[in-house]
Amino acid sequence: MTMRIAVAISGRGSNLEALLRALGPGAPAEIVLVLSDRADAAGLAHARARNIPVRVLPHPDDAGAWLGSLREHRVDLLVLAGYLKLVPASVVSAFRGRIINTHPSLLPAFGGKGMYGRRVHEAVLASGMAETGVTIHLVDEVYDRGAVLAQSRVSVLEGDTPERLAQRVLEAEHRLLPAAVLAAAAAGRPVALDQSPVASRQSVEQTPTPDPHL
Ligand code: GRF
């Protein structure tokens, strides 16, 4: 069965575009709805160009509006792809384990409220860290705190500016987020990606079946 996906964005939408490219005809997942807290988010054009329903949430803390849209479109998985606001707690609770986020650092480093966009990369450079990267994680009630599903490392290079570093991290995000979504579609729910070097992009970590006697 095709997994029905909603993607929430706040701006440019290049991760949405990467997902749309990865989820072509015959893919095990389909983007059925794009949500945004901003009517002027440039990335909404990617959805409109493909006739994907768009829903702008002018009051993004209105849980009823979220839940109404997600249910109306029978959404299985909500992907936050450059969505900058907190998802209301009752939406997190109703979709527990079925919301993922992409973050442009190796969480728990350089995460939390206010840590987004250029600020993340400036902080990485100021720290002198030799590497940064991308984290795909489950969403809970706190910014950037949920269980990590996948990470991809990006080296900090001599002479890097926040812009250059951001560009390489974004390229890594455009690979890792679609891989995480395809793994979720294969498993029927978000799963940790196998981080082994050979299978790093596609395999799904096998989760043991729970023992009914425990
Ligand atoms: C991404 O780096 C995402 O992780 C961060 O904001 C950026 C959004 O880029 N939260 P885009 O809108 O997908 O182009």
Side-chain angles (χ1 to χ4, degrees):
M1 218 173 63
T2 307
M3 179 175 262
R4 297 174 64 82
I5 295 178
V7 181
I9 66 170
S10 293
R12 174 182 54 186
S14 69
N15 280 288
L16 167 63
E17 197 185 3
L19 280 173
L20 287 165
R21 255 189 269 119
L23 303 178
E30 181 189 1
I31 298 175
V32 297
L33 174 66
V34 173
L35 297 152
S36 181
D37 56 318
R38 301 186 56 125
D40 61 352
L44 293 176
H46 298 302
R48 293 191 171 116
R50 290 168 172 83
N51 293 319
I52 295 171
V54 164
R55 174 82 197 267
V56 175
L57 300 167
H59 305 290
D61 45 3
D62 174 358
W66 279 91
L67 289 172
S69 298
L70 295 173
R71 288 183 177 143
E72 180 191 341
H73 292 274
R74 292 178 287 117
V75 167
D76 302 310
L77 175 72
L78 171 59
V79 178
L80 309 184
Y83 181 74
L84 300 180
K85 297 261 168 61
L86 208 54
V87 174
S90 55
V91 177
V92 172
S93 171
F95 277 74
R96 177 91 49 207
R98 294 191 290 145
I99 309 178
I100 65 173
N101 179 47
T102 175
H103 183 81
S105 76
L106 295 174
L107 291 174
F110 307 106
K113 190 167 169 29
M115 264 296 180
Y116 59 87
R118 184 188 164 94
R119 292 186 204 179
V120 177
H121 308 294
E122 280 172 349
V124 169
L125 290 175
S127 75
M129 299 282 277
E131 61 177 13
T132 180
V134 177
T135 302
I136 311 295
H137 65 94
L138 286 177
V139 169
D140 67 11
E141 287 79 358
V142 176
Y143 276 110
D144 302 330
R145 185 188 66 176
V148 170
L149 300 176
Q151 289 188 313
S152 168
R153 296 177 180 279
V154 174
S155 297
V156 176
L157 303 180
E158 187 92 17
D160 257 344
T161 59
E163 290 74 22
R164 278 200 225 160
L165 187 55
Q167 182 57 35
R168 293 201 311 285
V169 169
L170 193 65
E171 286 164 13
E173 246 180 328
H174 292 168
R175 292 189 292 271
L176 195 63
L177 182 61
V181 168
L182 285 168
R189 65 189 166 84
V191 285
L193 286 197
D194 185 341
Q195 303 285 293
S196 68
V198 176
S200 63
R201 299 264 157 73
Q202 294 295 338
S203 329
V204 174
E205 187 175 281
Q206 295 302 312
T207 311
T209 310
D211 182 338
H213 302 295
L214 290 179

